[in-house]
Amino acid sequence: MSTPTSIPPTLRFLQGTSIALLTTTAGLSASLSIFVIPRLMESPPQLLTLQFTRAISSAHRLLVLPLVLPGFLHGYLAYRLPAKARLYALAAALTFSNLPWTRAVMMPLNRKMERLVVFSDEAPDNAHEVADKWATRNLYRGVVTFVAGCIGLYAALS
């Protein structure tokens, strides 16, 4: 059964891949703010700084590609499916908005926490403050990534 606007299987695969990557990484990113950081904040400052930097380092290694790849996929889908180009371009823009957000907002907090590891006797309450700011500001990434995934899903199903 073929429809007038049938989409090749390779493009369907790219649609599914981008949706799966975005929604999965949105959940993983948000879980850092909702589950991991609050548990770390129950720790003493020295342990908090060590565990925080390890957790963020691990997340950085695992989540960068799944957070960025869908932006390229949506850009390609916008090019290949002109009728849905606006939706895919919006999803790509939202996905790529994580990059400047991370560099401008999240990286300074990461560096600040790394400095607290080295100078652990400096203002111990500061570690909890930095972790709290990080968790709150990290929610942007989870929300924006989820919205981009939903836009991609809408574009794929409409």
Side-chain angles (χ1 to χ4, degrees):
M1 183 187 309
S2 178
T3 62
T5 60
S6 69
I7 295 175
T10 55
L11 294 182
R12 284 285 182 206
F13 175 77
L14 295 179
Q15 289 172 325
T17 301
S18 66
I19 294 164
L21 286 173
L22 283 172
T23 55
T24 302
T25 53
L28 290 170
S29 183
S31 72
L32 288 171
S33 293
I34 296 169
F35 299 115
V36 176
I37 301 301
R39 296 300 68 81
L40 292 178
M41 289 181 64
E42 295 170 356
S43 304
Q46 293 80 12
L47 182 59
L48 166 66
T49 56
L50 288 171
Q51 293 297 332
F52 179 91
T53 53
R54 288 179 184 159
I56 299 312
S57 175
S58 176
H60 178 74
R61 282 192 308 273
L62 296 173
L63 293 179
V64 170
L65 183 63
L67 279 171
V68 175
L69 180 61
F72 290 109
L73 294 177
H74 280 141
Y76 181 71
L77 289 167
Y79 169 73
R80 289 293 309 266
L81 302 171
K84 300 176 183 185
R86 286 186 180 178
L87 288 171
Y88 284 121
L90 177 60
L94 285 173
T95 302
F96 286 131
S97 75
N98 279 310
L99 298 174
W101 178 262
T102 299
R103 181 168 294 276
V105 176
M106 304 304 291
M107 293 303 286
L109 292 173
N110 292 350
R111 285 191 292 274
K112 191 171 187 178
M113 188 63 86
E114 288 169 1
R115 280 194 304 272
L116 290 174
V117 170
V118 176
F119 304 109
S120 60
D121 55 344
E122 270 186 26
D125 292 335
N126 199 16
H128 287 85
E129 181 183 321
V130 172
D132 186 47
K133 283 182 183 178
W134 190 97
T136 303
R137 294 175 184 176
N138 183 58
L139 288 172
Y140 171 86
R141 295 195 283 196
V143 169
V144 166
T145 304
F146 182 71
V147 169
C150 289
I151 291 170
L153 178 62
Y154 176 77
L157 296 177
S158 65

